[in-house]
């Protein structure tokens, strides 16, 4: 068990947490949620000791080991992959290094022999002889192929490093596991593997994630951070959401009844307090009035953007036709004989193990890249809007206010009109005057969505649009795309996002595509498709 006792964290006049007292018990998985800036990652750092609180303490049961998914992806560049994973169990790793150092001594003494013997016994007791094999299993489960296990971390890409660090956190069966956004950069298969691992994990897990399906799958409890307080809810994310909405409604209804009772009493007091015959009753009612306390109903600090895509004109029957696209980059065939036709009203999720291939398809469709062979034909009525995975070109070295930035993409450049779109995406007041080049990742995404809404397009293409967004913004985008009447082509790793939007799945594989007009959950559960996948990836 791990507990926070009277934790207060204050930065100047700003109080992030005040007198927080919480306990996290073994066998449970706690999903830590809250609006951006609520302090989710900071609270994890307080639990690990990386962030010192203003007052209070963190208590971990004696002998219990804590592991933490690190966010510094370059911290282990000087180590190989297997060694980096084993470093997650510090006691075992230190014994291993000390033992190896003794055996390498040129002047090995009897004293060294005794120490080595002690270390060998501890090493065996901690499962040291199985360490490399256990580390390799974790890496394989997370999609790190065996040929990478002996490479230096510096040779790996960003996504691969994240997977190794997840394996490091999971290694050695820690008693308390803290994970900050573990599904970032993971593909769907790796996320599924991690979900299954955590479901079977018997110890304490505290996780921060923006992936609603992940939270629903692994969490036994939700911990909501709002106004510097932590509130516990039994159940997963959907249960928390429904419960919080129900509690809020009940509180509103209760307050409404109290307000009606207060109004009646005030009216009685006003009418009869000057009447001698009724003054005793009026005094009695005043005492009742004094005892009625309305529950404090502070609105949640969460803010939901308003996202709605409204096409200027309805699309015609002919939308998009792709015929035998092929594209090879650096000797690697990214796209092979890709052919499909988009029909009116289809919302197509593009999935597959190779993120570069999916992005390349979008770049070819928009004309940013040229295919080696094949044709792309757009319908004459189509006006598309595109959300690229990398939006840096839209913001780097752009010294414009958000109002001026968004004006670039609008036919109507009246400031009130532009401000209305920024306001929908939570850029109101002075926020709309900030410079575009200093935006956070999530703010840039919200600006790009504003740009898409302004386009009034009748076909949308989105490549990983949920990256960097908080739960509230993901929900708003999810709802906006689900309500959109025209066709969509999109890439996402968010299970719930795909399953609630897509009515057709196209999977890009090394040998071509798998194309099925079914929902995402049906696609994943189909035995026929699993057989096709084995053939296409073999």
């Amino acid at each position: 068990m791990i507990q926070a006792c009277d934790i207060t964290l204050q930065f100047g006049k700003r109080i992030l947490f005040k007198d927080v007292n919480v306990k996290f018990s073994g066998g449970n998985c706690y999903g830590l949620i809250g609006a951006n800036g609520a302090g989710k990652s900071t609270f994890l750092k307080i639990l690990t000791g990386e962030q010192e609180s203003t007052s209070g303490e963190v208590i971990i049961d004696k002998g219990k080991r804590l592991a933490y998914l690190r966010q510094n992806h370059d911290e282990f560049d000087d180590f190989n992959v297997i060694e980096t994973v084993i470093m997650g169990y510090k006691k075992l790793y230190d014994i291993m290094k000390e033992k190896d150092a003794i055996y390498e001594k040129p002047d090995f003494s009897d004293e060294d022999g005794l120490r080595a013997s002690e270390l060998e016994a501890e090493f065996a007791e901690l499962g040291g002889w199985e360490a490399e094999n256990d580390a390799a299993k974790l890496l394989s489960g997370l999609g790190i192929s065996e040929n990478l296990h002996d490479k230096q971390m510096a040779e790996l890409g960003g996504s691969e490093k994240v997977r190794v660090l997840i394996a490091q956190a999971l290694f050695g069966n820690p008693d308390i596991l803290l994970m900050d956004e573990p599904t970032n950069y993971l593909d769907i298969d790796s996320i599924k593997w991690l979900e299954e691992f955590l479901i079977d994990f018997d110890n304490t897990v505290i996780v921060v994630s923006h992936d609603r399906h992940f939270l629903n799958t692994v969490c036994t409890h939700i911990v909501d951070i709002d106004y510097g307080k932590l509130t516990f809810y039994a159940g997963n994310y959907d249960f928390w959401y429904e419960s919080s909405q129900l509690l809020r409604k009940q509180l509103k209804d209760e307050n409404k009844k109290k307000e009606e009772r207060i109004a009646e009493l005030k009216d009685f007091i006003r009418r009869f307090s000057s009447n001698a015959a009724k003054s005793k009753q009026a005094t009695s009612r005043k005492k009742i009035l004094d005892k009625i306390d309305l529950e404090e109903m502070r609105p949640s600090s969460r803010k939901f953007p308003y996202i709605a895509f409204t096409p200027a004109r309805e699309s015609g029957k002919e939308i998009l036709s792709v015929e035998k696209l092929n594209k090879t980059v650096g000797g690697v065939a990214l796209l092979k004989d890709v052919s499909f036709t988009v029909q009116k009203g289809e919302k197509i999720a593009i999935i597959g193990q190779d993120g570069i291939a999916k992005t390349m398809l979008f770049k070819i469709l928009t004309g940013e890249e040229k295919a080696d062979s094949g044709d792309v034909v757009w319908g004459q009525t189509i006006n598309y809007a595109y959300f690229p995975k990398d939006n840096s070109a839209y913001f780097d070295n752009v010294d414009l206010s958000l109002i001026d930035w968004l004006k670039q993409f609008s036919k109507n450049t009246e400031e009130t009109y532009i401000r209305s779109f920024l306001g929908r995406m939570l850029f109101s007041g002075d926020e709309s005057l900030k410079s575009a080049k200093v935006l956070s990742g999530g703010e840039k995404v919200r600006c790009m969505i504003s740009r898409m809404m302004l386009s009034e397009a009748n076909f949308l293409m989105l490549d990983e649009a949920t990256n960097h967004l908080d739960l509230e913004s993901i929900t708003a985008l999810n709802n906006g795309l689900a309500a959109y009447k025209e066709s969509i082509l999109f890439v996402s790793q968010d299970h719930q996002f795909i399953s609630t939007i897509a009515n057709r799945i196209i999977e890009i594989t090394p040998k071509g595509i798998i194309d099925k007009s079914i929902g995402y959950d049906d696609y994943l559960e189909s035995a026929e498709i699993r057989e096709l996948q084995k053939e296409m990836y073999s």
Side-chain angles (χ1 to χ4, degrees):
M1 182 178 71
I2 180 172
Q3 56 183 318
C5 302
D6 297 319
I7 293 292
T8 295
L9 181 63
Q10 186 169 351
F11 299 105
K13 293 182 179 180
R14 186 191 177 206
I15 298 175
L16 195 58
F17 302 112
K18 185 173 177 60
D19 299 329
V20 170
N21 288 279
V22 291
K23 293 180 181 179
F24 300 94
S25 303
N28 292 323
C29 178
Y30 300 89
L32 202 58
I33 65 171
N36 278 352
K40 301 183 293 293
S41 296
T42 302
F43 188 75
L44 287 188
K45 289 179 180 178
I46 290 174
L47 295 180
T48 65
E50 288 189 14
Q51 172 70 56
E52 187 176 347
S53 59
T54 307
S55 61
E57 61 178 336
V58 173
I59 300 173
I60 299 176
D61 285 358
K62 189 175 181 180
K64 300 299 182 183
R65 184 169 72 88
L66 182 148
Y68 178 43
L69 173 59
R70 301 171 184 272
Q71 295 298 312
N72 184 353
H73 302 165
D74 301 326
E75 184 176 348
F76 301 93
D77 277 0
D78 295 334
F79 301 91
N80 76 25
V81 170
I82 287 286
E83 185 177 8
T84 299
V85 175
I86 296 173
M87 289 170 78
Y89 195 167
K90 188 176 186 304
K91 184 177 181 180
L92 174 63
Y93 180 75
D94 289 346
I95 289 171
M96 184 176 74
K97 297 304 289 184
E98 184 180 353
K99 179 169 65 75
D100 291 346
I102 290 174
Y103 288 137
E104 289 173 4
K105 291 177 68 172
D107 53 346
F108 190 87
S109 64
D110 290 342
E111 186 178 331
D112 290 329
L114 289 172
R115 178 58 180 159
S117 179
E118 292 173 0
L119 292 171
E120 290 287 8
E122 284 189 80
F123 186 72
E125 186 179 345
L126 296 175
W129 296 113
E130 296 81 38
E132 288 195 12
N133 185 54
D134 290 345
K137 285 181 180 178
L138 288 171
L139 289 166
S140 296
L142 287 162
I144 299 295
S145 57
E146 196 171 330
N147 65 305
L148 297 178
H149 291 186
D150 292 321
K151 288 187 177 294
Q152 293 292 107
M153 286 288 285
E155 298 178 63
L156 271 57
S159 173
E160 293 166 334
K161 286 183 180 180
V162 171
R163 295 162 196 251
V164 175
L165 294 181
I166 291 175
Q168 181 192 72
L170 301 178
F171 180 76
N173 195 39
D175 301 291
I176 302 159
L177 176 61
L178 310 184
M179 309 185 84
D180 192 355
E181 296 292 356
T183 61
N184 282 2
Y185 304 104
L186 295 188
D187 60 24
I188 290 165
D189 290 336
S190 298
I191 292 172
K192 186 177 180 181
W193 181 91
L194 181 59
E195 287 173 349
E196 291 173 353
F197 183 96
L198 293 178
I199 288 169
D200 294 333
F201 190 70
D202 292 330
N203 301 330
T204 304
V205 181
I206 307 172
V207 60
V208 172
S209 178
H210 289 147
D211 187 325
R212 295 162 296 170
H213 183 269
F214 181 77
L215 292 174
N216 280 330
T217 303
V218 305
C219 289
T220 60
H221 296 74
I222 294 295
V223 184
D224 182 26
I225 300 182
D226 209 2
Y227 295 109
K229 297 179 180 180
L230 277 69
T231 305
F232 280 62
Y233 296 82
N236 61 16
Y237 178 79
D238 280 349
F239 185 81
W240 163 82
Y241 182 80
E242 296 297 333
S243 298
S244 63
Q245 295 301 305
L246 179 60
L247 286 171
R248 186 168 179 80
K249 182 180 183 302
Q250 289 174 341
L251 192 55
K252 279 184 176 179
D253 291 344
E254 186 178 336
N255 279 352
K256 187 177 180 181
K257 292 176 183 177
K258 287 182 179 180
E259 287 170 348
E260 290 172 354
R261 179 67 171 144
I262 287 170
E264 290 174 4
L265 291 170
K266 282 183 175 179
D267 183 60
F268 184 91
I269 292 166
R270 179 183 57 78
R271 287 188 291 118
F272 295 109
S273 60
S274 59
N275 185 319
K278 298 281 188 177
S279 62
K280 190 174 181 179
Q281 291 182 41
T283 302
S284 173
R285 279 161 174 72
K286 191 173 187 309
K287 289 179 180 178
I288 296 173
L289 179 62
D290 290 339
K291 291 179 182 178
I292 297 178
D293 292 322
L294 286 176
E295 293 289 336
E296 182 183 13
M297 283 194 63
R298 299 178 70 183
S300 171
S301 61
R302 289 175 174 78
K303 294 181 180 179
F304 286 80
Y306 174 74
I307 298 177
F309 301 98
T310 307
R313 61 177 293 187
E314 188 178 335
S315 63
K317 290 183 179 180
E318 295 181 1
I319 295 174
L320 172 64
S321 176
V322 175
E323 186 70 24
K324 293 188 177 298
L325 280 191
N326 289 279
K327 181 67 175 181
T328 298
V329 177
V332 178
L334 297 178
L335 303 174
K336 185 173 182 180
D337 290 333
V338 173
S339 299
F340 61 90
T341 301
V342 179
Q343 304 295 330
K344 189 173 177 63
E346 287 188 317
K347 297 180 178 181
I348 305 170
I350 306 294
I351 67 171
Q353 296 177 3
D354 191 341
I356 297 173
K358 290 178 282 189
T359 296
M360 180 57 70
L361 173 61
F362 280 114
K363 288 183 175 181
I364 291 172
L365 295 180
T366 61
E368 187 178 335
E369 292 276 355
K370 287 187 177 181
D372 298 333
S373 61
D375 295 305
V376 173
V377 179
W378 287 97
Q380 291 185 350
T381 64
I382 301 303
N383 165 36
Y384 68 76
Y386 172 49
F387 181 102
K389 187 174 184 177
D390 180 6
N391 59 39
S392 58
Y394 290 86
F395 298 97
D396 289 353
N397 304 313
V398 178
D399 193 11
L400 295 172
S401 70
L402 294 192
I403 291 173
D404 290 333
W405 182 88
L406 196 56
K407 278 182 180 179
Q408 301 175 97
F409 311 107
S410 178
K411 295 176 183 177
N412 185 342
T413 58
E414 290 182 10
E415 187 165 314
T416 53
Y417 180 75
I418 298 298
R419 278 183 179 272
S420 70
F421 277 87
L422 289 171
R424 291 182 188 183
M425 299 307 295
L426 309 181
F427 297 108
S428 57
D430 291 342
E431 283 285 302
S432 62
L433 300 176
K434 69 195 306 182
S435 174
K437 68 179 182 181
V438 300
L439 299 177
S440 68
E443 289 173 328
K444 288 178 180 178
V445 171
R446 284 189 275 128
C447 281
M448 293 297 289
I449 293 172
S450 294
R451 172 180 171 269
M452 291 187 78
M453 288 193 292
L454 270 173
S455 71
E456 299 182 331
N458 56 16
F459 184 76
L460 303 179
M461 293 187 289
L462 304 98
D463 189 2
E464 299 281 13
T466 60
N467 287 357
H468 306 293
L469 290 181
D470 57 21
L471 278 166
E472 292 70 42
S473 298
I474 291 171
T475 301
L477 179 59
N478 197 153
N479 293 341
L481 292 175
Y484 185 63
K485 301 299 184 185
E486 301 291 343
S487 301
I488 304 172
L489 205 61
F490 71 100
V491 173
S492 177
Q493 302 296 344
D494 187 311
H495 184 116
Q496 189 163 340
F497 194 79
I498 300 173
S499 63
T500 53
I501 296 171
N503 53 25
R504 180 178 169 188
I505 309 295
I506 294 178
E507 181 169 1
I508 298 177
T509 79
K511 295 181 179 179
I513 65 170
I514 302 172
D515 186 353
K516 297 292 179 180
S517 293
I518 57 176
Y520 185 53
D521 288 324
D522 289 338
Y523 187 91
L524 293 177
E525 293 169 8
S526 169
E528 175 197 348
I529 289 168
R530 282 198 294 273
E531 288 302 314
L532 272 174
Q533 288 170 329
K534 287 179 184 177
E535 179 185 332
M536 301 296 268
Y537 284 102
S538 62

